[in-house]
């Protein structure tokens, strides 16, 4: 849950403030900035399709690896967009590439974490787990975007400029996704004690 919340926050906050950077710092029109960011959504869809194929092939045995790979790809994409904004001359192609890379990473990780979480759900608690996933997505994203907006306002107040403010926000997103990767190391296959074969044998003996 923590890993998912952090990388979801990173993706959507980065997406929001990249649009701001493209329009206010790079001078692009809102339409063109939107198209660049939309490239991330397309690569998300492609990665989600690939994840489904891989999951069917290995019967879910490599889910943890796919989550970690996806988050690792997101780290690369987030670092690239920060580099692109540091470049004073252009960097638009690099921003486009970074959005495609980040979108592919989240598309690989997101369906997989959902599958893992539902796998861990107790019997007849799948709906509750699904609601928890939606809450985590919304909560982490909302907090991250809110903090990002506050940092932009602080940067403007201190007269650092909007460019510096955006870079601070995106650096924070890089921290989120790095923490998400560390949290993903703890993903394990959960065995519910009440469904453990040994306990089933004990129950049968007691009956």
């Amino acid at each position: 849950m923590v890993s998912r919340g952090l990388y979801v926050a990173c993706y959507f906050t980065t997406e929001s403030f990249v649009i701001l950077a493209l329009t206010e710092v790079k001078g692009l029109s809102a339409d063109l900035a939107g198209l660049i960011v939309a490239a991330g959504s397309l690569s998300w869809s492609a990665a989600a399709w690939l994840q489904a194929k891989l999951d069917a092939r290995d019967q879910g045995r490599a889910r943890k690896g796919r989550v970690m790979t996806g988050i690792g790809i997101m780290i690369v994409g987030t670092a690239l967009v920060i580099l692109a904004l540091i470049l004073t001359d252009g960097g638009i192609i690099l921003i486009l590439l970074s959005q495609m890379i980040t979108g592919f990473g989240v598309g690989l990780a997101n369906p997989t974490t959902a599958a893992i979480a539902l796998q861990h759900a107790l019997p007849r608690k799948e709906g509750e787990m699904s609601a928890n996933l939606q809450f985590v997505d919304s909560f982490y994203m909302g907090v991250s975007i809110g903090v990002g907006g506050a940092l932009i306002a602080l940067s403007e107040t201190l007269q650092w400029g909007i460019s510096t403010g955006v870079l601070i926000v995106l650096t924070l997103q890089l921290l989120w996704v790095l923490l998400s990767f560390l949290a993903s190391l703890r993903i394990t296959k959960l065995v519910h004690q009440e469904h453990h074969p040994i306990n089933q044998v004990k129950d049968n003996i007691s009956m």
Side-chain angles (χ1 to χ4, degrees):
M1 287 292 186
V2 171
S3 179
R4 179 186 173 100
L6 288 169
Y7 74 67
V8 165
C10 168
Y11 178 78
F12 286 104
T13 307
T14 299
E15 186 180 59
S16 300
F17 287 95
V18 163
I19 292 178
L20 179 65
L22 287 171
T23 54
E24 298 296 328
V25 179
K26 297 295 185 180
L28 271 63
S29 66
D31 293 342
L32 184 54
L35 287 174
I36 290 174
V37 171
S41 300
L42 294 176
S43 61
W44 179 334
S45 299
W49 174 85
L50 176 61
Q51 185 280 145
K53 295 295 183 183
L54 294 174
D55 201 71
R57 180 182 299 177
D58 62 23
Q59 300 298 309
R61 289 186 295 272
R63 284 174 179 169
K64 177 179 179 177
R66 280 193 289 276
V67 171
M68 295 181 67
T69 300
I71 298 173
I73 292 171
M74 288 186 69
I75 291 172
V76 173
T78 307
L80 281 178
V81 75
I82 293 172
L83 175 61
L85 292 177
I86 292 174
L87 297 174
T88 55
D89 297 327
I92 304 302
I93 299 300
L94 190 56
I95 292 176
L96 173 62
L97 181 62
S98 73
Q99 294 304 287
M100 294 178 67
I101 292 172
T102 307
F104 190 89
V106 72
L108 195 62
N110 213 49
T112 312
T113 52
I116 292 172
L118 291 173
Q119 187 181 39
H120 285 215
L122 292 170
R124 296 180 295 279
K125 294 290 186 178
E126 292 83 2
E128 181 179 337
M129 180 62 75
S130 180
N132 288 338
L133 289 171
Q134 293 183 34
F135 172 78
V136 165
D137 289 352
S138 301
F139 178 77
Y140 277 72
M141 178 179 63
V143 170
S144 183
I145 291 176
V147 170
L151 289 173
I152 294 291
L154 178 63
S155 179
E156 291 283 273
T157 301
L158 297 176
Q159 297 183 346
W160 292 346
I162 193 168
S163 177
T164 301
V166 170
L167 284 174
I168 292 172
V169 172
L170 294 181
T171 302
L172 183 62
Q173 306 320 304
L174 182 59
L175 174 61
W176 292 161
V177 76
L178 286 169
L179 291 175
S180 176
F181 185 84
L182 291 177
S184 72
L185 296 173
R186 301 193 62 184
I187 294 175
T188 57
K189 184 177 180 180
L190 179 66
V191 178
H192 298 306
Q193 292 298 319
E194 63 271 23
H195 293 139
H196 197 283
I198 294 177
N199 289 336
Q200 290 180 358
V201 171
K202 290 180 179 178
D203 291 339
N204 292 334
I205 292 174
S206 64
M207 292 175 62

